[in-house]
Amino acid sequence: MQTGMGGVGDGGAGLGGFLDGGAGAGDGGAIGTGGAVGSGGAVGMGGAVGIGGAVGIGGAVGMGGAVGIGGDIGIGGDTGAGGATGGDAGGSDAGAGGAVDSGGDGAGGTDAGSSVTDGGDTGSNDGAIAPSCPEVPAAGPPVGVSVDFVTGVTVSTFAGSGIPGTGDGSGAAVGLTNPVSVSLAPNGNLFVAEYDDNQIRQLTPAGDSSTIIADGILNQPFGLVAASNGILYVDTDHDPQGQKSLTSGTIWRVDVSAQTATPVKADIGRPRGVAILSDGRMVLSDYRNHRLLLLDPQTGAVTPLAGNGCPGYADGQGTAAQFNMPYGLAVRPDGSLVIADWGNHRLRTLTLDGTVGTLAGDGVNGMLDGDPAAARFNFPEAVAVDASGAIYVSDQANHRIRRLAGGRVQTLAGDGIDGFADGAGDDAEFYGQEGIAVTPDGLTVYVADGTNGGAGPYHRVRAVAVPATP
């Protein structure tokens, strides 16, 4: 099974229409008359908690984002008629709070340690449903470091460079701008979603690029998955009318040959991970509303699978289960799903009857390899699954690519420092790493290594070469 930001195969989905973290909404999370900025974020007239206390990265949450454990949450906050916030071009800065952007939306988070590309909301959230949610405790500093590297791993740049661009080419000559997700097609071609310049690109196994969807059609594409019939499914943060809110996420069908994009379902929440089941249905992880959804792309019918709209942690079935920003997801060979539960620092499992369990992670953010139940992750964002069932994890705030196989969590690549470096696995560095995909044999992991919504020189797709298991 090849997977992209959610994976080719079964996935999990969220249900739109819920504010996270019990956040109250002003006029759609409006900043109001401009809002005052503080050390933790901006508040307005009855303003909303953005991604907010729900995730509780470790600081106060304001309209511009959260001041986290060494960086910004980067969600940008929710805005409405009262004004828009970009979170100071991508999330609040520690000591400055969420800056008002007079109507625009920012690029998302700026600190690769604990941020995600989001960009802030520009439309009204009046249609969102806000359940009464208890506050989720803030995460503390990472606890524990124990790294078990897989030997013989090497990391190289497959496409792109430190310079943003839009031009096609080969290898480093390909111009990419904040690539956020990747998905492998059955023929071996790799598709890339670029959040900041609204493009979908295709890369051949040799690294040659072509533009499938150019800027002007999709607005902030994130998750994508390649079907087996020359079709891609892509989620965007904006609806077809260009509005962005907690419920404006839209699924699009992209015809690769015709280079056209058609809306499948609008205003479905705010999905990030997307996956295709063997029967053609799709599963979505609605990270802003802490739910998983099942979507029939032929009829547009949406069925809730798991989660109750409030952030939290609970195994169980349907609404008895809870997630805290479920992000990437992928299908496993047995038909169940694995989900990167970002705010819970865990890998979760889901079956299509809505039953949720915990696969790995003890819930404490940290860096521990070894037994899955005792392993620690630090905001895992993307997952992929190979044909054998091995699970690959982009552990974002640890700046590492990890693998769960044979009942053991190990690290493939990343020295734990956010940056850029190719080379041996234990010397390599990653920055954005918001999406991953893996070849069926598990020998190559592709990483969308963008900016996390910031302005750094990180516009690449990386390739992690993994030695064959003896």
Side-chain angles (χ1 to χ4, degrees), residues 402-424:
R402 300 170 73 183
R403 182 180 69 183
L404 170 55
R408 181 183 179 191
V409 177
Q410 293 180 283
T411 296
L412 294 178
D415 66 0
I417 300 173
D418 58 323
F420 167 73
D422 285 335

Side-chain angles (χ1 to χ4, degrees), residues 243-269:
Q243 296 298 306
K244 183 177 180 182
S245 70
L246 290 176
T247 60
S248 62
T250 299
I251 303 299
W252 301 74
R253 180 186 293 109
V254 173
D255 187 311
V256 175
S257 297
Q259 298 185 357
T260 57
T262 306
V264 172
K265 184 69 174 180
D267 302 318
I268 198 171

Side-chain angles (χ1 to χ4, degrees), residues 146-153 347 360 367-372 374-377 390-395 398-414 425 445 464 466-470:
S146 177
V147 185
D148 178 15
F149 277 106
V150 174
T151 60
V153 174
L347 302 183
M367 175 62 223
L368 295 179
D369 285 330
D371 179 75
R376 289 182 179 171
F377 301 90
I391 298 168
Y392 302 79
V393 184
S394 178
D395 195 0
N398 277 325
H399 312 294
R400 302 180 195 267
I401 305 300
R402 300 170 73 183
R403 182 180 69 183
L404 170 55
R408 181 183 179 191
V409 177
Q410 293 180 283
T411 296
L412 294 178
V445 180
V464 180
V466 183
T469 302

Side-chain angles (χ1 to χ4, degrees), residues 164-177 194 197 199 201 209-211:
T166 60
D168 286 318
S170 182
V174 178
L176 300 172
T177 305
E194 297 171 78
D197 64 4
Q199 293 199 136
R201 312 289 280 280
S209 75
S210 57
T211 300

